[in-house]
Amino acid sequence: MNERELKKIFERFYQSESGRVSARQGFGIGLNLCQALVKLHYGVIFAENRKDVQGSRFVVRLPLGNKHLKKEEMADGKPEEHLSLHGRVEEPAYFPVQEKGKRNPTHYRVLVIDDDEALRNFLQESLSVHYRVDVAADGMEGWQKALATLPDVVVSDVMMPEMDGFQLLKELKKNPNTNHIPVVLLTSKTELASRMEGLEQGADGYLNKPFSQDELDVLIANLISNRLRLKGKYSGSQEQEGKVKPLKVKNTDEILMERVMTVIDQNLGNPMLSVELLAKEVGMSRTQLHRRMKDITGLAVSDFIRNIRLRQAARLLKEKRLMITQVAYAVGFSSQTHFSTMFRRQYGMTPTEYAETGEKASEDTEVTGTGTKHPDEA
């Protein structure tokens, strides 16, 4: 190896140019992990070109004995007691990326799909610092897990048995239950045609191997952040003056909301409009609809329906063309008492008071599932 490579080969994801002729090239993880393990034992590791014969050698130097180790660094009992069920050390320091901080996974879920066990395990360990991580060994298994868990982001290899990354991407994007999930493709293919194929099929990110772990972390965080920005857009807190139907949209979340709003618009005066009816009309199960709506709007489906009804009721009251009882029935409330209670919780005044003043008491208050309590109810 040239001297330049000798200084870089212990960097994570670095690949030697001389090793690219192999059929199954490495991912630049092994030597980085070796270095981490050696450092845990207060040793040093380095590589050098041999002078007597052709080739290179790797040297590991470890201090003798255990006097240099702290008490908490010494293992108690038999070594196998410190192994996980998968035969891997569970200490976070085994994977250097976790040395940056303690494990603090969020509720967001990432699905990693790769047929290379070493890379799959590495990504599972490194990403689990911040996310709940599921793994799959091929595209078919990944497709089934995506349907079962509905992850927030999918990170998938392209070249896999059973179902490759492009086929998996196509299945995810054409299924109404998974087409909202961002997909990041990992591949050793560098041709423009290969990248274009993934992007044209709806890939949200594309990283060539070897890739930077930091780049993957930032990409996943940005994809989740972009999804969060859509939350509340259809929560009922935005104005629905003069319309219930949404604008024409292209985003997959907005496509779902368009279908939801169409059903609500058609059944606004129907007191039988429920979560079950809405789920049936949009072609999803109650559980799937609840998760998607909660993810997009931050509200339960029933709260979302009620907020839309109350918004429409406020508009009708402001026009002063109908009696309060007629307004209640027009927006799907079968009980005027229940309507008045819900209206007061959201707007801070009774329907009668609202009709008389024509003012919106909580215009600047974000509508939530619990509503805004009247001062007398606090």
Side-chain angles (χ1 to χ4, degrees), residues 4 15 33 105 111 141 175 196 224-225 231 240 289 314 321 331 337 363 365 375:
R4 238 178 2 179
Q15 292 178 319
L33 294 180
L111 173 60
E141 182 185 357
N175 189 296
M196 288 300 297
I224 293 177
S225 178
K231 276 192 173 183
Q240 298 292 340
L289 180 62
R321 294 188 295 106
V331 296
T337 301
E363 182 68 26
T365 302

Side-chain angles (χ1 to χ4, degrees), residues 8 19 82 118 136 144 154 192 203 237 263 294 324 339 342:
K8 295 182 178 181
H82 298 273
Q144 294 170 349
V154 171
L192 176 61
S237 60
V263 175
K294 192 76 174 178
I324 293 176
F339 167 68
M342 293 297 100

